[in-house]
Amino acid sequence: MNILVTGGAGYIGSHTVIELLKNGHIVTILDNFSNSSPAILDRIMFLTGVTPYLVRADVNDKETLDSIFSTDAFDAVMHFAGVKAVGESTINPLLYYSTNVCGSIALLQVMEKYKVNTFIFSSSATVYGSPSQFPIAETCATNPTNPYGRSKLSVEDLLGDIYAADNTWKIAILRYFNPVGAHESGLIGECPVGIPNNLMPYLSQVAAGIRPEVIVYGSDYPTPDGTGVRDYIHVSDLAIGHLAALEHISSSSHGVYLPMNLGTGRGYSVLEIIQAFEIASGRKIPYRYSNRRPGDIAQSYADVSRSNELLRWVARKDLMDMCSDVWRWQIRNPRGYAQ
Ligand code: UD1
């Protein structure tokens, strides 16, 4: 298939592009490189033997969108382009709504114009807010607690309205739990700008000696060891989940609107992650406890029965794979994609 991948140079987008190319799809990446590097293209080429087409543009740039849709007959769009830092979203909500919501609107308008109606949307388990039911199923109430989560849910709602108005659309909404890991080659991985907000990239920098210690946010949660529990999923499993979703919706004989969890279904605590990373890296990881981080919940793990059954997809990589791959990426690329 001929696929447009917005945000295809980013962390999850790039891993998905690799899987798409490996499976013979034709890929055009649209990216403004606001949180990624053009250097990734050479690595994708090295790993797959194919260079994807590249359009350097913002997803809000309707003129460019129009021009690429007028010259290229896309079969489907995978939409990763967006901003994703929860803390930043509380300080600059307009950036989150203009990029995530307006960007999606611009893209969907052009898709409608050119009659491309197969769409995979990059959403997040953050749309569930503080769920009261575990494991978290797609039928749980959505109630995000920050502007980032609300921007994702706004697009989900918009997609529901588009489908209600025209049920020939084929829409998969993929709600990621906690994506971690890196490509097994050590050539592609997560590249946070500045101090990482998320646990895995932070502790990988501690293991590498870039930061002195991990600060464990909260030791009094109602979890087995008192620290927060999350459903960490390897980014390559996540990428394969996108292909499975694409196959599922594009082969359907009718329209589809399908929100789906992508996770492993199993939770690990912060302490379990630190221990696993110590084994994977062979390094001691100093840590100390601090107060709970505002906005954090005690636990989050997915009910993956819908994606397992409908997509015939299951996350295969385990916690040791996730930690080893992050560590390989960290030691081989201490400065990320900058040489
Ligand atoms: C965060 C986002 C979520 C996003 C996800 C992507 C928040 C509130 N949520 O989820 O929207 O989809 O990242 O991966 O930011 N922790 C520490 N020390 C640290 C960092 C984290 O103890 O330095 C703990 C947290 O309290 C939590 C766990 O580690 O229990 C995971 O945190 P993190 O990696 O930031 O992910 P989430 O907060 O689950």
Side-chain angles (χ1 to χ4, degrees):
M1 294 172 80
N2 186 3
I3 299 157
L4 176 67
V5 183
T6 76
Y11 174 48
I12 302 170
S14 59
H15 286 83
T16 306
V17 165
I18 289 171
E19 295 302 324
L20 287 168
L21 293 173
K22 268 171 44 187
N23 283 275
H25 296 287
I26 301 162
V27 173
T28 299
I29 292 176
L30 179 118
D31 208 299
N32 65 2
F33 298 111
S34 60
N35 191 24
S36 57
S37 164
I40 202 166
L41 269 295
D42 288 342
R43 298 190 182 200
I44 292 175
M45 160 69 194
F46 180 80
L47 290 170
T48 63
V50 187
T51 307
Y53 300 108
L54 172 69
V55 179
R56 187 179 194 138
D58 197 281
V59 72
N60 259 310
D61 177 354
K62 264 187 96 172
E63 227 171 276
T64 301
L65 286 175
D66 199 287
S67 105
I68 57 173
F69 274 81
S70 68
T71 52
D72 219 330
F74 296 115
D75 299 302
V77 175
M78 289 193 179
H79 181 35
F80 296 94
V83 279
K84 59 170 186 179
V86 172
E88 183 188 48
S89 79
T90 62
I91 295 161
N92 194 355
L94 277 173
L95 173 70
Y96 277 69
Y97 282 86
S98 64
T99 309
N100 295 355
V101 181
C102 299
S104 299
I105 293 173
L107 181 60
L108 289 159
Q109 283 175 327
V110 177
M111 287 178 67
E112 183 178 55
K113 177 173 171 188
Y114 289 94
K115 302 193 175 6
V116 178
N117 65 1
T118 301
F119 190 66
I120 298 203
F121 178 58
S122 178
S123 190
S124 166
T126 210
V127 298
Y128 295 115
S130 308
S132 51
Q133 207 183 308
F134 296 94
I136 306 169
E138 291 85 352
T139 46
C140 283
T142 48
N143 187 19
T145 54
N146 54 66
Y148 162 65
R150 283 188 283 274
S151 72
K152 287 288 178 190
L153 187 60
S154 302
V155 179
E156 289 198 9
D157 289 343
L158 166 64
L159 292 168
D161 289 335
I162 289 174
Y163 180 72
D166 173 359
N167 65 11
T168 64
W169 277 77
K170 296 179 170 181
I171 297 167
I173 288 170
L174 302 183
R175 294 176 178 160
Y176 314 147
F177 278 68
N178 285 57
V180 295
H183 192 268
E184 61 186 4
S185 63
L187 287 174
I188 309 264
E190 189 173 11
C191 229
V193 179
I195 302 172
N197 294 312
N198 298 123
L199 179 63
M200 194 63 103
Y202 196 99
L203 79 85
S204 149
Q205 293 191 1
V206 172
I210 298 167
R211 306 195 183 277
E213 60 187 358
V214 176
I215 296 159
V216 178
Y217 296 132
S219 55
D220 58 351
Y221 282 112
T223 57
D225 66 19
T227 67
V229 166
R230 296 290 183 275
D231 184 340
Y232 297 92
I233 174 169
H234 195 292
V235 63
S236 295
D237 277 330
L238 205 56
I240 294 166
H242 286 73
L243 266 74
L246 176 67
E247 204 163 290
H248 177 72
I249 63 171
S250 58
S251 63
S252 169
S253 55
H254 48 79
V256 193
Y257 172 81
L258 199 54
M260 257 174 309
N261 287 338
L262 292 186
T264 64
R266 124 143 240 202
Y268 286 101
S269 73
V270 176
L271 294 187
E272 286 175 309
I273 299 293
I274 293 175
Q275 279 155 12
F277 208 92
E278 285 189 331
I279 294 168
S281 64
R283 304 265 176 108
K284 186 90 199 117
I285 300 178
Y287 68 88
R288 75 176 159 85
Y289 292 112
S290 172
N291 294 336
R292 293 179 181 191
R293 186 171 62 176
D296 273 359
I297 53 177
Q299 58 173 351
S300 165
Y301 54 95
D303 179 338
V304 284
S305 40
R306 184 184 286 183
S307 46
N308 288 173
E309 279 160 30
L310 289 181
L311 306 185
R312 291 196 206 93
W313 165 89
V314 64
R316 301 209 176 274
K317 293 189 184 260
D318 64 17
L319 182 58
M320 207 40 72
D321 296 323
M322 302 182 209
C323 294
S324 313
D325 289 343
V326 169
W327 183 238
R328 190 177 303 109
W329 160 252
Q330 174 72 49
I331 48 176
R332 291 201 185 164
N333 308 270
R335 298 176 56 228
Y337 292 104
Q339 291 303 323

